[in-house]
Amino acid sequence: MRKLMTKITLASTMMLATLITPLITSLPAWAGDWNSLIERLDSNRVFARNGQIMTLKLQSFKDGKPNTAESLRVYTHVDNRQTVALFLDTKRKGQKMLMRDNNFWMIMPKSSRPVRISAVQRVMGEASSGDIASLSYVQDYTVQSGVDKGDTATLTLMAKHKGVTYAKAILVVDKKRGIPLSGDYYLKSGKHSKSVAFTYRADGDKWRTQTVTLTDIIRKNRKTVMTYSDEQAKPLPARLFNAKYLVSGGKLPS
Amino acid sequence: MIKHIGQWCIVGLAGVGFAPQTHALENPQWDGFITYEQARVGNQYLPITPNAKPKYTTTATAVVKYTADLKNGGYVQFDVQNLYRTNRPTLSQVNQMFVATPHADNQIRMGRMVLSHGTAYGYEPLDFFHGQSPSGGLFKPQSHGVDGVAYERYLEAGDIRFLAVQNRGRYVRAMHTANPHRNKTKRTTVGVQGSFLFGDAEVFASAYQTQIPKLGQQNSAGAGVSYAPNDEAVLYTSFMHHNRINDYRQNQNTPNRNPAIRTRDMFTYGNVGNRTAYTAGVNYTLESQNLNIIAETSQRATGLSRAGFLALSEPLNNPQFGVPSATTPLLNHGMRRSTLIRLSPADGEYYPEFVVVRPQGGGSINRVLKTWTFADVFGDINGYDRGEFKLSYEFRNGGKRTWVGNLSARNTVRLGISIPLY
């Protein structure tokens, strides 16, 4: 009798396993695993970890009217958390902003000494240094909580370390495509600083960020649109991310 | 001066030719601009010209920069400028002309180059070849090159630079630039500079040994640190100690030709022996107010040189040279300590800025500067968007117990235009 019961139990278990396994594997990878979801967010933002170059156009608006514009060439070594942004036009041509980990410097063309700036010091309009330089959610944030809303999910992200520009970010994420659609950024003080909205373009099986719109919550009449283009993958040597090299006239790849 | 420029053109070209297979230049990039400024300077210093009328000065500057790649991965760069000033000699200068050969994370540079160090906004003691003026900072010209060779090694979290250079004393403001004889001497300096990033702290260190003809040897060493305790603030401090020159001789050739202006430091300013320079400051951003504040206090190894004082008091007159044209007191070498506060927007525009400098002993220099690009004024103008108008107002008030005390209150208004050449 005991042998029969054992056989029945084993058979039931196998049948159950046979039935459940396809169900489990057919579930999206994000279900209940918010960390893997933000890794997917990164994979759509990062296309070459040891060196990616892109052009970034910043257009700020005040009361709905275009205010100032700036173009930058942004060089990023994602693994080392290093970024250089070169200003391309208007009166700031030749200025460079360097980010290493959570530290920022401005390098002015008429000065041979880099000046260290704070993380919240803005590059232009509502775009702070961190908005330009940060690419990886995984490196900067941990998921505090997530709310599943069908096709989308709302993730609450908390900064892993103090140098991250925003202490808290709430992102509405498209689960299927693995991209953030909109969000809200909060300062360490808890103050709601900016709201953000993203648009994308398809690139093979990836979705590349096309625009990021930052709307100032404190000064509600202002917003800045960041438009990405001309992406390249190119290994970037360490010297490009050294302030001394940059002030000595060292050239960046075109 | 022409001879001097020619000399360095030859050196630069020789440097280019020296590297085999590198004489073909690729990706040449020209850059430059012309600046014209008109200033109305109010009352001059009282002891000399008690009832001076307002003075009008004109300054025109042309700057040309050139960079090109070499076939072996290196690059060449030169940077020349020409300055016209009312009632003063026209000044031509080669700031930089060097050949650089970067390879992986190493680089060797030969020729005339700008070598700077440290990160302070205003006066930086570690910036051995520059940096006497405490009011410059982001837009302060640090374009005075020194001649020699530098080996630079870029580390994962820092860099180290070994240098052997010869420099004219007039540009070594970390030492004594007041003595006209010493100004003309060429000094040979060997040194090492390093900076390293440890978490949120960047640490600097440097050491130099300088041979000064007929005077002997001066040793200098210093260190500094900048630290970001949070997202809003950056704290920084640094110091440099200079030892006594072995063969110090008292300066008898005082530049002061006016006996009305004599002070206790008149006969000692040439001596920099055993003095320490320091600076300490904070850069704080109030994001909700869109305001960036820099506050800094500093003490130089010596008092300001004449050029240093000019750069302090009128850096806007000719920011490329740092040698403005307006009249200045003949003696100001005792002014060692000063504090600076700068207010500006935090949205990356940097202007308008308001700067207050409080020199040692009293008095103050207050400056407001606003710029407009051509695009701001006329809309988009293809190729000339970088052009700008600038308007500044400066109010200088001399304290009675300071070198600046020789000055009355003075108002200066400047209107300038800058046009890009390329």
Side-chain angles (χ1 to χ4, degrees):
Chain A
M1 188 62 185
R2 187 181 292 174
K3 282 185 180 178
L4 181 63
M5 284 302 291
T6 305
K7 282 181 182 176
I8 290 171
T9 305
L10 190 61
S12 304
T13 307
M14 288 179 68
M15 282 179 66
L16 198 62
T18 309
L19 287 170
I20 287 175
T21 302
L23 281 175
I24 292 173
T25 52
S26 67
L27 281 174
W30 47 264
D33 186 1
W34 305 119
N35 287 325
S36 68
L37 183 55
I38 66 166
E39 284 172 12
R40 286 184 64 207
L41 304 186
D42 274 2
S43 71
N44 278 323
R45 288 156 63 97
V46 177
F47 53 89
R49 301 195 71 85
N50 64 346
Q52 64 183 52
I53 308 171
M54 53 196 169
T55 299
L56 180 57
K57 185 171 183 183
L58 300 173
Q59 174 69 60
S60 71
F61 295 85
K62 187 177 178 184
D63 296 322
K65 296 176 182 173
N67 191 12
T68 55
E70 193 68 67
S71 294
L72 302 97
R73 194 75 172 139
V74 181
Y75 304 80
T76 303
H77 195 296
V78 179
D79 284 340
N80 292 348
R81 298 195 73 234
Q82 296 171 338
T83 296
V84 175
L86 171 67
F87 288 75
L88 299 177
D89 52 29
T90 72
K91 62 185 174 184
R92 299 179 67 184
K93 182 177 179 182
Q95 291 182 20
K96 302 180 186 94
M97 188 199 73
L98 169 66
M99 184 197 88
R100 293 175 65 106
D101 287 327
N102 309 316
N103 305 291
F104 298 86
W105 293 263
M106 278 303 297
I107 296 154
M108 314 301 283
K110 291 176 185 172
S111 172
S112 57
R113 206 162 64 217
V115 174
R116 193 164 173 187
I117 61 175
S118 60
V120 297
Q121 212 161 334
R122 276 175 268 173
V123 174
M124 199 210 75
E126 313 326 305
S128 68
S129 318
D131 293 319
I132 305 296
S134 298
L135 282 174
S136 173
Y137 289 117
V138 173
Q139 286 177 338
D140 291 345
Y141 292 98
T142 54
V143 182
Q144 187 187 49
S145 62
V147 178
D148 191 353
K149 295 181 177 177
D151 291 339
T152 63
T154 301
L155 301 182
T156 301
L157 309 179
M158 302 302 289
K160 276 182 179 174
H161 31 79
K162 65 179 181 181
V164 178
T165 308
Y166 306 106
K168 178 179 159 186
I170 298 177
L171 292 179
V172 177
V173 177
D174 182 326
K175 292 185 296 188
K176 186 178 176 186
R177 293 188 293 173
I179 52 177
L181 301 174
S182 62
D184 292 288
Y185 293 153
Y186 296 81
L187 300 175
K188 192 180 292 179
S189 62
K191 191 178 283 185
H192 188 185
S193 175
K194 293 167 194 168
S195 67
V196 60
F198 304 85
T199 65
Y200 298 88
R201 57 188 160 76
D203 181 14
D205 61 342
K206 299 285 186 183
W207 291 91
R208 297 275 175 245
T209 306
Q210 188 162 27
T211 65
V212 177
T213 303
L214 296 159
T215 304
D216 198 319
I217 299 299
I218 299 163
R219 296 175 297 166
K220 290 184 181 295
N221 61 338
R222 296 175 187 235
K223 71 174 182 180
T224 296
V225 179
M226 306 195 297
T227 305
Y228 295 85
S229 62
D230 196 16
E231 288 108 340
Q232 290 179 36
K234 190 172 191 174
L236 298 173
R239 69 171 186 271
L240 295 188
F241 303 97
N242 192 290
K244 281 269 179 61
Y245 178 77
L246 296 173
V247 296
S248 71
K251 296 183 75 174
L252 294 163
S254 55
Chain B
M1 185 53 69
I2 297 296
K3 181 183 174 186
H4 193 68
I5 293 172
Q7 174 190 342
W8 281 101
C9 285
I10 292 168
V11 170
L13 292 172
V16 173
F18 179 74
Q21 303 295 320
T22 60
H23 53 279
L25 301 177
E26 299 173 337
N27 305 320
Q29 291 179 13
W30 292 92
D31 197 2
F33 53 89
I34 295 172
T35 302
Y36 176 88
E37 286 188 0
Q38 190 75 38
R40 179 190 184 279
V41 184
N43 288 338
Q44 306 301 300
Y45 36 95
L46 282 171
I48 296 174
T49 53
N51 297 306
K53 294 178 181 177
K55 185 176 179 179
Y56 295 89
T57 61
T58 301
T59 308
T61 313
V63 177
V64 176
K65 296 178 181 178
Y66 174 80
T67 306
D69 295 335
L70 302 173
K71 276 188 174 176
N72 66 351
Y75 61 95
V76 297
Q77 183 170 317
F78 75 76
D79 172 354
V80 297
Q81 49 194 5
N82 190 282
L83 168 67
Y84 165 79
R85 299 165 292 179
T86 302
N87 298 327
R88 298 186 74 182
T90 298
L91 179 63
S92 300
Q93 187 167 293
V94 178
N95 289 324
Q96 297 200 88
M97 184 169 286
F98 64 81
V99 181
T101 56
H103 179 69
D105 294 327
N106 302 281
Q107 177 169 272
I108 294 175
R109 284 196 287 165
M110 289 182 292
R112 176 170 295 179
M113 62 200 124
V114 173
L115 297 173
S116 64
H117 196 47
T119 191
Y121 167 78
Y123 172 63
E124 174 54 84
L126 295 175
D127 205 354
F128 187 73
F129 301 107
H130 309 97
Q132 274 287 37
S133 166
S135 75
L138 285 174
F139 305 98
K140 179 183 171 187
Q142 293 153 339
S143 53
H144 303 303
V146 291
D147 309 329
V149 60
Y151 165 73
E152 292 150 331
R153 167 82 174 158
Y154 302 107
L155 310 169
E156 191 173 330
D159 58 78
I160 190 162
R161 171 191 280 164
F162 298 93
L163 55 92
V165 299
Q166 192 174 64
N167 47 279
R168 290 155 294 166
R170 59 185 292 195
Y171 294 138
V172 185
R173 293 176 182 170
M175 296 186 287
H176 35 70
T177 58
N179 185 327
H181 292 300
R182 289 174 186 169
N183 284 351
K184 292 175 183 175
T185 60
K186 287 189 175 181
R187 302 117 191 261
T188 303
T189 299
V190 293
V192 58
Q193 302 171 339
S195 62
F196 308 94
L197 195 60
F198 299 103
D200 296 327
E202 186 177 27
V203 178
F204 303 88
S206 59
Y208 307 92
Q209 188 177 83
T210 301
Q211 298 293 336
I212 305 174
K214 299 179 182 177
L215 288 178
Q217 175 180 305
Q218 176 177 290
N219 297 316
S220 307
V225 62
S226 71
Y227 175 66
N230 54 44
D231 294 348
E232 292 83 22
V234 176
L235 309 173
Y236 56 88
T237 185
S238 56
F239 79 94
M240 175 78 86
H241 183 77
H242 306 268
N243 81 339
R244 181 181 290 274
I245 294 175
N246 294 342
D247 182 20
Y248 169 70
R249 291 183 299 182
Q250 181 171 304
N251 172 33
Q252 298 296 331
N253 190 1
T254 171
N256 177 24
R257 298 179 187 85
N258 186 338
I261 309 175
R262 287 186 180 277
T263 77
R264 61 187 182 279
D265 283 346
M266 178 177 291
F267 299 106
T268 59
Y269 63 80
N271 179 8
V272 300
N274 297 323
R275 283 188 172 182
T276 300
Y278 71 81
T279 195
V282 58
N283 176 351
Y284 192 85
T285 300
L286 284 165
E287 198 196 19
S288 59
Q289 305 297 319
N290 189 31
L291 181 65
N292 180 248
I293 304 166
I294 294 173
E296 183 178 303
T297 181
S298 58
Q299 173 173 295
R300 290 161 292 283
T302 62
L304 285 181
S305 68
R306 186 166 187 266
F309 184 86
L310 283 161
L312 163 68
S313 58
E314 301 181 38
L316 306 174
N317 198 13
N318 196 303
Q320 281 67 52
F321 281 81
V323 187
S325 62
T327 53
T328 58
L330 295 173
L331 272 180
N332 42 58
H333 316 295
M335 200 170 80
R336 294 181 66 201
R337 291 187 294 276
S338 59
T339 57
L340 172 147
I341 294 176
R342 178 183 187 268
L343 306 177
S344 63
D347 61 3
E349 289 295 317
Y350 298 111
Y351 292 123
E353 71 168 9
F354 176 55
V355 176
V356 179
V357 180
R358 294 275 299 174
Q360 178 181 11
S364 67
I365 297 166
N366 312 281
R367 186 171 76 234
V368 180
L369 171 63
K370 171 66 178 165
T371 66
W372 297 265
T373 64
F374 288 1
D376 293 334
V377 179
F378 302 118
D380 289 339
I381 304 172
N382 191 26
Y384 287 94
D385 284 354
R386 291 169 56 207
E388 64 182 30
F389 299 102
K390 58 184 176 183
L391 177 65
S392 70
Y393 172 72
E394 181 182 290
F395 175 67
R396 187 163 68 178
N397 177 30
K400 291 181 179 178
R401 293 178 294 109
T402 175
W403 297 101
V404 192
N406 295 315
L407 302 172
S408 63
R410 196 178 84 178
N411 299 281
T412 304
V413 179
R414 286 194 179 81
L415 183 62
I417 183 172
S418 180
I419 301 171
L421 290 176
Y422 304 97

